[in-house]
Each structure stands twice: as structure tokens, then as C-alpha cells.
Amino acid sequence: MALCAASISHNNTSRILSSSKSNTFYQKKISASPHFSLLSLTPPLPSLSRSGFGSHWRRREPCSLHGHVSCSVKAVLLDESKEKLLLPKGDMWSVHKFGGTCVGSSERIQNVAQVIVQDSSEGKLVVVSAMSKVTDMMYDLINKAQARDDSYVSAVDAVFEKHKLTAMDLLDGDDLASFLSRLHHDINNLKAMLRAIYIAGHATESFSDFIVGHGELWSAQMLSYVVRKNGLDCEWMDTREVLIVNPSGSNQVDPDFAESEKRLEEWFSRHPSKTIVATGFIASTQQNIPTTLKRDGSDFSAAIMGSLLRARQVTIWTDVDGVYSADPRKVSEAVILRTLSYQEAWEMSYFGANVLHPRTIMPVMRYDIPIMIRNVFNLSAPGTMICRPAENEDGQKLESPVRGFATIDNVALVNVEGTGMAGVPGTASAIFGAVKDVGANVIVISQASSEHSVCFAVPEKEVAAVAEALKSRFSEALNAGRLSQVAIIPNCSILAAVGQKMASTYGVSATLFNALAKANINVRAIAQGCSEYNVTAVIKREDCIRALRAVHSRFYLSKTTIAMGIIGPGLIGATLLDQLRDQAAVLKEDCNIDLRVMGITGSRTMLLNDVGIDLSRWKELVKDKGEVADLEKFRQHVHENHFFPNTVLVDCTADSNVASCYHDWLRRGIHVITPNKKANSGPLDQYLKLRALQRQSYTHYFYEATVGAGLPIISTLRGLLETGDKIQRIEGIFSGTLSYIFNNFKGTRAFSNVVEEAKQAGYTEPDPRDDLSGTDVARKVIILARESGLKLDLSDIPVQNLVPEPLRACASAEEFMQQLPQFDNEMARARQEAEDAGDVLRYVGVVDAVSREGRVELRRYKKDHPFAQLSGSDNIIAFTTTRYKEQPLIVRGPGAGAQVTAGGIFSDILRLASYLGAPS
């Protein structure tokens, strides 16, 4: 192997700039200085008197080296007569790779050295990147020099100072002097090279690669010195001597494994060491021209080295705890995956998972070498192992067939469409040939079996060139009408679901697209290979985060998260908030449901929060941080937070203005849950429009608590109808208030006294006339009638009003209560007549499906009738149907009170969570 020069003249620099054929990289003279340049590929030949790996080290031809290397030698090759050592391979080696962040400062380099020291492997090869930001700084030097920007000189000085100060923190004595001497020499050479670029205004790719690789050279040497200070036998390796690659176009290179393995054995025979610190990122071509493995290539370097050594394991040290199931910046609940197959890691790295270089997997797969992803700043984290999965493990833990999700943003769809494409050979070839000619990268391809169109995704920055090339290539077909259009759909993102077990699991695609539909996300294109390792969907860029969170939670990789807005924090709303507070932890832990109250609004004040309101002090927060209520702003805040794929607005009011917003909310993809009866009992045409919209979309509208508070009345009725039963009659005591009043209106008690008692106990509305008028019961009758298929309006229901005619115009509830005793005799007579006949009075609502009518009235029932057996504020509803004709189906229980009503709303919220993917 030849040695590189320690000094480069302006003439030599010009030769490198003008011709890559000069092969000067391996044919410079050696400086007479005892220190070789950091530009050199081979340090002075070492003594071979050091200890070896025990049985793994074997000398081929025992002999000794005499003398030293002459300073005038050119292109010295290893003499076959000299001693050679056989490179041991196999499980005794572990390979580590440390990225720029890991060696970004002197303190971090010390930490890395400790990690190396603590590794008990017999042999360790450590691949190291340049210090954080240094590669960018090196590219910036070249760009400034090419632009003839004189500031490149000061920029070189900044590079020098960064490494000088780091070395002074880490090293001392001869080590520091040696490193700084080499650093000075390299910087001077770099200035000469950059000066030549400045004059020429241009740098070849190989020359640029040579310059930018210095960051790795310096970090590798500093780390090797620090490791030696910690007591380990250590050598540093310039991988340009070892890694040989062939350019393959498209800004990529392919390793020449046979030649690289040969050169590694030659290098090792000169530098036998238990610990080797190697440069990442850089390599050489077959012609010994310096090159790189391109951006993020240090991972690739480590994988290649692991392959060459047949290492036990390759560990990629980074600043994250492992490979996440999704980008944690987009999905805060993303989890660390303990294991991944090679194929899964390959797919995820291609689709944007930034822990791995996309080509890292290929070299290690050849020998089944596992890759560990670990966090150098959190050594307690176990990390992620990428390996070949074990087959049919007994007792294997059940896990989702989808292991993770990845996204690519800033892409555009290109759709080439036309009837003239069908059955015409070579059309696809012509399309993608035109794309290739402009150097664009096709990420996803989708084509229908009709061959009417071909759709593919490219980076958005390349789409204009692609469109122009296609229109030029197919101009004749477009003019003749064989192609109808070359359409561009910008502002897209790609979402990929990855998992090796997807291939053997039914329904994965259905679950994926169902989750997207329920989050109201439209899919613009779909692609899936026959291997089924990934399913890819193209969506709007603005939907990307919501889509990612929706599918992530649907496959149980994180909790089903619902953003909630509570409207009306009155008695029922406040009780619901307290129930949510008390149950939140249990729902997260046991049910995988995360309910986030993003906003609370009353008629005057609202409270908004971006991540979820602390429900333990919501009343205090409303007072301290509340703002003027604005229902539209409230809706936007709760719904347009892209970190939460599912939104529900819970209307706890009795306000018709709020109810009028339901249609717009559902149309926007917002789920609605309410005990408010105004929407379902309002104008018939609006109700029908609301229900039609609900049925046409994946948006849910739940209103169980509108009838019977927490009793399962709506769900029971739906269950009967959906299973084919026919409703004949629904009859019931629907008002908890009036149930309480007539359950206690007995003996000699005055009607007004019972009403006052009910008001004091909190059973009535603030104005008892709202209950006694029967309007509330009539609304419930209308809701049940409409659920049964009857098209009735509120005006179609005759209602017996229990408020005496003269008192209906009272100015206040207090005035009404003062005057009500004057009318006690009328109600007392009705009670007495009922008692004389062995009956009781009950205020009921009736839906007669046979005669297609409804009514609300005070009726008499025998004392053995179920309606006569009530106590307190219980509701009771009897369903007479084709199946339950002789003995009605009865639902009975508390029908009034904030706790049971809030419980009914809460039950609807959990039903929504189940529909959205939470475990049932």
C-alpha cells in the first residue's frame, strides 16, 4: 500500500483539480518530519511486538522488522517477505458506530471512550463520524471557495479552532503535540486546496470528497488517543485505505466486498490491535481516488465493516433510545420497538425513519449480523435490535402485525391519464424513462388494472421538471387525445405502514384505511407490494399528522386519543368533567383510551388549552385564564389541532343555537355527543338532514342521554329495530321530575307542596313550569317516534299541560310558586277519583306506531301496573313489539339527576372511543 504525501504544492493541487487520473492520492512523498500528515492514508509502520487476541492471532511468517521508512520512498507496498498476521474474524468482534452528535464535544468524546472501554468484546472496531456540524462546515468551505467568497479563509480558521480547543480539552503531552502538528499541517494543505478552488471557481466531486472527509480523520484520531489514555491498545484507521467502492449513479456507491476484505487483511497485518477506531463516511474508488459513502454514510461504513469482520453485532450509537413505532415529534405516544426484522427496518428507513441509513441493512443481512440501535446519552435504555426474526416462537407475545409507521412529506402526485394507454406496450417505460431523464426519484407507483392511468409520487421540488418532461415526451399523444392529461397534485405526504407479519394477517389494509376514514382523511393513492411488508397511502400534507396518529392508535401502538370540547359547564357539564377527571387514569391504563379536554365553554367564558386542561382545577383555570366565549373559535381550537386525529364536541346545554351547529360540525368530521333534545326534536326537515349526513359519513352522533338520562332507551330501541322487530307501542314515564312528583302526590299532601319539595331537592328546572308544561316529555316522545320511523313534528303531539292556565303568564318562577296553591283542589280531585277506582296518577308519553301518532297526558293506572310501582325519580319505559306483544319489554331506573345524565354522556364517549379503535 502506498503512502500519501505530507505536503502538497500548488502544482500538485492544480493537478488534482484538473485530472482525477493522476492517482496522486497514493503516490506523494513522505515528509521527513516524524509526524505524518492527516492527509496521509498510512501512518509510519508500527512495531509488531504488541500482544494479540490469544488463539485468534496467528503469525504467518515469523520475522522481525529492522530500520525505518526512508523519507524519499514513493508508493511503498508491503513486502511479502515481512511478517504478516492473519486477521481473525467472527464473534470476537463487535462494531460500534458513533455519529456526529455523539462526538460533538470533548465531554461527549470522553463518554464515547468510556463506552468503548466498558465493552468486554475481545476485539472492537469503532466507526466514528466527524464532530457535530463539521461536515456541513467543510461543505460550506468548498461552496465559499467556488463562489470566490474570501470568507472561506476565516471559515477554515473556525474549523481549526473547533478541533484545537477540543483536543486541548482531551489530550496533553506528546499526544496533544502530535495531534496539533498534524492538524496544523492539514489546515495549511486545506487552505492551499481551497485557494486553488477559489482561483478555478470549481471543484471536482472527488476533490470535494477528499476535503470533506477530514472531519472524520480528526475525530477518529482524537478518539483513538483518548481510548489509549484509558489503557486500551488502540489504532486508528483511515478507511480510504480499506473500503473500496464503485460509483453506481444516483449519488450512490456500491461496496466492493472482495477487494475491501483483501485490503482490510493487509491493513491489519500492519496494525494488529484489539481496538480500532475507523473513519466513517469516507472510502476510495478502485482507482484509489478518495470518495465518500454520501450523506449519513457512517452507518453504512459500520455495516460494511461488520460484514467484513463477520462481527457478532453492529451497534449504532445515536441520540435516541431506539427505533420508534412512529416519529415521536408527530406521535408523542410512539413506542420504542425492542426488535425489528431486517426487512421491517429496511422499509422504515426508506420511508423516512431517520435512525438508520437506508443501505445499512444490506451488508449485515448477508451474515445475519444483528444491528443494535442505542442511545449513547441513555445507556439504561435497551434500544432496538434489528435481526432475522425467530420462527414460530412458543409463547410469543401477541403483537400488532404493523410494527411501525413512517412518513415522507413534501411530495407531489403525478397522474398520467388517457384511454390511449390501455393495452399499449411500452407506455409505462416511456413515462418512467422521461422521469429518469430529468433525474427525479419516484417514491411510489400506483396503477389501476384498467391501465387507464398511471399515478406516481416524486419529491415536490422535482415535480415541475417531471411534468415538463412528460408533456414534451407525450405532446403528440396529448394533442391527439390518446392521453387526456398530465395532472399534478401538490402538497402531499406519504404514509407507510410497515410490518413483516402483515403478509400473514388478514384485514390489515382494511383496518388501516378504516382508521383513516374514521379520522375523515381522504386517500389519494395506494400502493402495496406483493411481499406485503408495507402498505403505502398518499394523503394531503395537512392531514399527515392526524393520519399518523389515527393509524398508530388503531393498531394499539398507542392510546386512542380523542380531543374533546365541553360546551355548557353547568350542573350536568360540571359533573361530567368531574367524572372524566376521576376516571382518566383508569381509562389510560386499562382501556388504552386518552381523553383530552381541549376546551370548556359556557355562554360567556371559555377556556382553551393546546394539550389538555387539568381537570383537577378546571374551575380555577376558567376564572384565571378564561377568555370571552366564541363558539366558532372554540370549534376551530378543538378540531384543528393536528396532533389529535379524533375530535368530539359534547353539548351539555339545552340551547337550540348550539344544536343548530351539529350539521356543520358533523360535515367537518367532528363527532357530536349530547343530552340536548333540541336537534332531534326540532323541525323535521333539519332532523332528517342531520341523520342523513351521519349515515353517509364516518362521523358519529350519539344522543343516548336525550331520553331517560343514563338509561339505555335509545340503544334498546335501535337494537329491536336493527334485529327486525316491529314497534307497536312505546309508553313510559319519561320525566324524572314528574315521576318524583306523582310518586309522592298521595294521601292528603297538596300538589303545590310536592312541587316545592321537588324543586328544593333539585329535581325540577329552576322554573318548575318547564317540567309541568310537558314540553320536555313531548320532545322525548318525538325523538322515540322518529327513531321508530314516524315522521312527526312537535306540533303533531297533543300535550296535557299541568300548569294552570292563569299561571302560565307569571313573570317569574317565584310568582308561580306563590300562586300555585290556589289550584291544589283541581289536582286533589283528580287524585281522589283515581284512588276511588283503585288507580294512581302517572304523567306519561305514548308513541303509537300502529296509528302513527304520539301524545303526552296524565293517565290512571291500576296499582298492580308496573308504572304504579315506581319510587323516587325513576323512569320506566315499556316497549310493545311483535316479539314483546304479550308482555312488554321494560326498561326502568333513575331518569333524572346530574350524576346519571353525565354517566349516560360518558358512556356515549366511551362508545365513540370503541368505534374509533379502542379495545372493547
Side-chain angles (χ1 to χ4, degrees):
M1 182 69 69
L3 299 182
C4 176
S7 63
I8 297 180
S9 68
H10 286 288
N11 290 338
N12 288 337
T13 303
S14 300
R15 256 198 343 268
I16 295 175
L17 278 168
S18 61
S19 173
S20 63
K21 298 179 180 179
S22 59
N23 202 21
T24 56
F25 188 78
Y26 285 97
Q27 303 201 8
K28 302 293 178 187
K29 290 186 178 181
I30 299 175
S31 168
S33 165
H35 304 301
F36 65 97
S37 167
L38 293 189
L39 293 175
S40 77
L41 292 182
T42 308
L45 294 175
S47 166
L48 296 180
S49 60
R50 54 171 63 89
S51 61
F53 279 92
S55 62
H56 295 297
W57 293 73
R58 299 187 295 278
R59 300 181 183 273
R60 286 183 177 171
E61 299 176 12
C63 65
S64 59
L65 292 176
H66 301 281
H68 61 278
V69 181
S70 170
C71 63
S72 62
V73 174
K74 286 184 179 180
V76 179
L77 296 176
L78 186 66
D79 190 334
E80 292 296 333
S81 67
K82 291 185 170 63
E83 179 179 347
K84 265 195 172 183
L85 292 178
L86 182 64
L87 171 65
K89 297 177 183 177
D91 286 352
M92 75 286 298
W93 286 101
S94 65
V95 174
H96 299 264
K97 177 264 175 177
F98 294 92
T101 307
C102 301
V103 292
S105 65
S106 56
E107 180 182 0
R108 291 183 176 181
I109 292 174
Q110 290 277 22
N111 292 340
V112 166
Q114 286 302 312
V115 172
I116 297 169
V117 169
Q118 290 167 12
D119 180 5
S120 60
S121 300
E122 200 170 351
K124 292 168 277 194
L125 188 143
V126 180
V127 175
V128 64
S129 298
M131 292 180 69
S132 181
K133 306 298 183 185
V134 167
T135 300
D136 290 336
M137 294 170 75
M138 302 303 283
Y139 276 115
D140 186 53
L141 294 178
I142 297 169
N143 293 336
K144 286 181 175 179
Q146 288 185 123
R148 294 183 173 134
D149 181 348
D150 291 329
S151 65
Y152 82 85
V153 178
S154 60
V156 174
D157 292 338
V159 172
F160 171 76
E161 284 298 317
K162 181 180 182 72
H163 290 85
K164 173 187 172 183
L165 293 175
T166 303
M168 292 177 70
D169 280 346
L170 293 170
L171 310 176
D172 51 31
D174 291 343
D175 289 347
L176 177 60
S178 176
F179 178 80
L180 291 180
S181 174
R182 295 168 180 174
L183 180 64
H184 274 289
H185 207 272
D186 286 342
I187 291 295
N188 289 335
N189 286 331
L190 282 177
K191 286 181 177 179
M193 297 175 194
L194 291 166
R195 177 62 181 169
I197 295 173
Y198 181 93
I199 294 170
H202 174 71
T204 63
E205 181 181 356
S206 60
F207 201 63
S208 297
D209 287 345
F210 183 69
I211 291 174
V212 299
H214 279 72
E216 279 72 17
L217 294 169
W218 295 327
S219 61
Q221 290 177 77
M222 283 192 288
L223 179 59
S224 68
Y225 279 126
V226 177
V227 171
R228 278 200 293 269
K229 280 181 67 176
N230 281 273
L232 289 187
D233 170 38
C234 181
E235 290 285 349
W236 79 277
M237 174 196 289
D238 182 343
T239 49
R240 292 178 299 189
E241 295 183 60
V242 172
L243 293 188
I244 303 302
V245 297
N246 298 310
S248 59
S250 302
N251 201 34
Q252 289 189 351
V253 294
D254 292 329
D256 184 333
F257 286 98
E259 181 63 23
S260 297
E261 191 164 4
K262 175 184 174 184
R263 296 201 183 193
L264 176 60
E265 291 171 352
E266 291 177 352
W267 186 94
F268 188 82
S269 70
R270 301 193 304 274
H271 309 282
S273 178
K274 291 183 178 181
T275 305
I276 301 169
V277 178
T279 56
F281 181 55
I282 56 177
S284 292
T285 67
Q286 291 282 5
Q287 296 75 33
N288 295 329
I289 303 299
T291 188
T292 69
L293 301 180
K294 311 312 172 188
R295 280 290 191 169
D296 300 318
S298 292
D299 290 352
F300 200 17
S301 300
I304 296 169
M305 284 297 186
S307 174
L308 296 177
L309 292 169
R310 316 295 192 267
R312 172 178 53 84
Q313 179 174 289
V314 175
T315 304
I316 307 292
W317 293 91
T318 179
D319 55 358
V320 295
D321 287 342
V323 179
Y324 283 87
S325 55
D327 187 340
R329 295 168 298 182
K330 297 178 180 179
V331 182
S332 57
E333 299 88 358
V335 296
I336 298 292
L337 302 173
R338 296 296 299 272
T339 62
L340 279 175
S341 71
Y342 293 122
Q343 289 81 3
E344 288 167 340
W346 197 340
E347 295 283 354
M348 290 189 70
S349 64
Y350 175 78
F351 282 101
N354 59 3
V355 175
L356 287 173
H357 184 278
R359 302 188 72 193
T360 301
I361 290 74
M362 296 175 66
V364 297
M365 280 182 67
R366 303 172 69 190
Y367 302 104
D368 284 346
I369 300 169
I371 300 176
M372 280 295 300
I373 309 295
R374 294 197 60 192
N375 189 347
V376 73
F377 306 115
N378 182 15
L379 299 180
S380 62
T384 299
M385 175 174 283
I386 300 167
C387 58
R388 192 174 303 281
E391 296 183 3
N392 299 322
E393 293 181 3
D394 293 332
Q396 186 177 17
K397 182 182 177 182
L398 290 175
E399 60 183 22
S400 170
V402 176
R403 303 304 313 285
F405 298 90
T407 57
I408 301 176
D409 295 324
N410 303 316
V411 300
L413 275 179
V414 181
N415 186 43
V416 182
E417 185 177 311
T419 55
M421 294 172 58
V424 179
T427 302
S429 174
I431 290 171
F432 295 110
V435 175
K436 177 181 179 295
D437 290 342
V438 296
N441 177 34
V442 176
I443 306 170
V444 171
I445 302 172
S446 179
Q447 179 179 11
S449 59
S450 67
E451 302 182 38
H452 179 68
S453 67
V454 174
C455 175
F456 57 93
V458 297
E460 203 156 39
K461 63 183 179 181
E462 298 173 358
V463 72
V466 169
E468 184 177 347
L470 289 172
K471 289 175 182 177
S472 174
R473 172 65 179 79
F474 293 100
S475 58
E476 183 180 335
L478 287 165
N479 292 333
R482 295 194 304 275
L483 287 186
S484 57
Q485 65 173 343
V486 175
I488 305 300
I489 305 174
N491 303 319
C492 294
S493 291
I494 292 173
L495 169 67
V498 175
Q500 192 161 348
K501 291 185 179 179
M502 288 165 56
S504 58
T505 305
Y506 298 112
V508 172
S509 294
T511 303
L512 175 74
F513 293 113
N514 184 261
L516 293 175
K518 287 183 175 180
N520 285 278
I521 292 164
N522 186 41
V523 176
R524 294 186 163 181
I526 300 169
Q528 178 179 8
C530 61
S531 67
E532 298 185 58
Y533 289 152
N534 90 68
V535 178
T536 302
V538 181
I539 57 179
K540 292 180 182 178
R541 184 191 304 161
E542 64 194 55
D543 291 336
C544 181
I545 294 177
R546 282 198 305 120
L548 189 58
R549 293 179 67 93
V551 296
H552 193 270
S553 63
R554 185 63 186 87
F555 284 94
Y556 312 131
L557 296 175
S558 63
K559 294 174 175 58
T560 298
T561 305
I562 303 177
M564 300 175 59
I566 307 297
I567 304 169
L571 179 61
I572 293 173
T575 304
L576 174 63
L577 287 166
D578 290 343
Q579 291 179 358
L580 290 169
R581 174 201 63 206
D582 295 341
Q583 197 66 8
V586 175
L587 289 174
K588 282 185 181 180
E589 184 67 27
D590 297 344
C591 305
N592 225 27
I593 298 171
D594 185 5
L595 302 177
R596 305 280 187 95
V597 177
M598 312 299 291
I600 300 171
T601 184
S603 59
R604 296 185 178 86
T605 307
M606 67 180 180
L607 174 66
L608 307 177
N609 190 282
D610 288 331
V611 295
I613 295 169
D614 179 0
L615 296 184
S616 65
R617 48 195 291 265
W618 69 267
K619 292 181 181 178
E620 175 189 339
L621 292 171
V622 169
K623 290 180 182 178
D624 296 342
K625 298 185 178 181
E627 55 186 279
V628 176
D630 181 331
L631 192 58
E632 177 59 18
K633 181 180 178 182
F634 181 82
R635 191 274 306 166
Q636 290 177 356
H637 171 81
V638 176
H639 181 51
E640 295 179 4
N641 187 325
H642 289 178
F643 282 95
F644 300 99
N646 306 301
T647 305
V648 59
L649 292 177
V650 182
D651 175 20
C652 297
T653 73
D655 192 325
S656 57
N657 291 325
V658 177
S660 68
C661 298
Y662 293 176
H663 187 275
D664 179 63
W665 292 346
L666 292 169
R667 183 179 58 82
R668 293 176 182 273
I670 303 171
H671 307 288
V672 176
I673 294 173
T674 184
N676 187 343
K677 293 175 279 293
K678 297 296 175 64
N680 285 13
S681 62
L684 180 61
D685 60 335
Q686 294 183 21
Y687 166 79
L688 294 175
K689 185 179 176 183
L690 187 64
R691 291 302 307 275
L693 176 62
Q694 178 200 2
R695 293 188 183 100
Q696 292 167 5
S697 69
Y698 278 94
T699 310
H700 297 284
Y701 173 42
F702 294 149
Y703 43 87
E704 183 71 75
T706 57
V707 181
L711 296 179
I713 297 173
I714 298 290
S715 56
T716 299
L717 175 56
R718 283 192 174 178
L720 292 170
L721 293 170
E722 289 169 359
T723 58
D725 205 352
K726 304 295 183 182
I727 302 297
Q728 296 182 356
R729 181 184 180 89
I730 303 173
E731 185 174 0
I733 297 172
F734 294 105
S735 168
T737 302
L738 293 172
S739 177
Y740 180 87
I741 289 172
F742 284 99
N743 286 338
N744 289 279
F745 182 47
K746 52 191 176 182
T748 59
R749 297 194 65 184
F751 184 74
S752 61
N753 288 339
V754 178
V755 173
E756 178 64 33
E757 179 181 279
K759 185 175 187 298
Q760 294 301 321
Y763 287 116
T764 72
E765 295 292 336
D767 189 336
R769 286 176 294 180
D770 293 340
D771 297 296
L772 297 173
S773 68
T775 303
D776 183 68
V777 176
R779 289 188 180 279
K780 295 176 181 179
V781 168
I782 281 290
I783 291 171
L784 292 177
R786 289 174 175 177
E787 289 290 316
S788 302
L790 305 183
K791 295 183 179 179
L792 299 178
D793 261 319
L794 196 59
S795 59
D796 298 326
I797 305 294
V799 179
Q800 182 177 348
N801 193 332
L802 298 183
V803 179
E805 182 82 32
L807 300 186
R808 295 175 189 174
C810 286
S812 66
E814 289 74 18
E815 181 183 348
F816 166 74
M817 291 303 299
Q818 289 173 1
Q819 297 186 31
L820 183 59
Q822 301 173 21
F823 300 88
D824 281 343
N825 290 337
E826 184 177 343
M827 292 301 296
R829 279 195 302 273
R831 178 182 61 191
Q832 189 61 50
E833 291 173 2
E835 288 179 351
D836 290 344
D839 297 339
V840 296
L841 295 175
R842 294 293 183 263
Y843 195 78
V844 298
V846 178
V847 176
D848 190 334
V850 176
S851 59
R852 306 186 69 80
E853 64 181 15
R855 58 187 177 274
V856 176
E857 60 190 2
L858 185 64
R859 299 191 64 188
R860 288 159 47 172
Y861 292 90
K862 294 297 180 182
K863 291 184 178 179
D864 60 352
H865 192 279
F867 285 14
Q869 309 301 314
L870 295 184
S871 61
S873 62
D874 279 4
N875 281 186
I876 186 169
I877 296 89
F879 294 93
T880 303
T881 72
T882 303
R883 295 174 189 159
Y884 297 93
K885 189 172 183 179
E886 301 301 324
Q887 187 173 353
L889 172 64
I890 291 178
V891 178
R892 172 181 171 174
Q899 287 292 338
V900 294
T901 304
I905 300 168
F906 202 164
S907 178
D908 273 348
I909 294 170
L910 297 181
R911 184 154 62 110
L912 173 64
S914 177
Y915 284 7
L916 294 175
S920 57

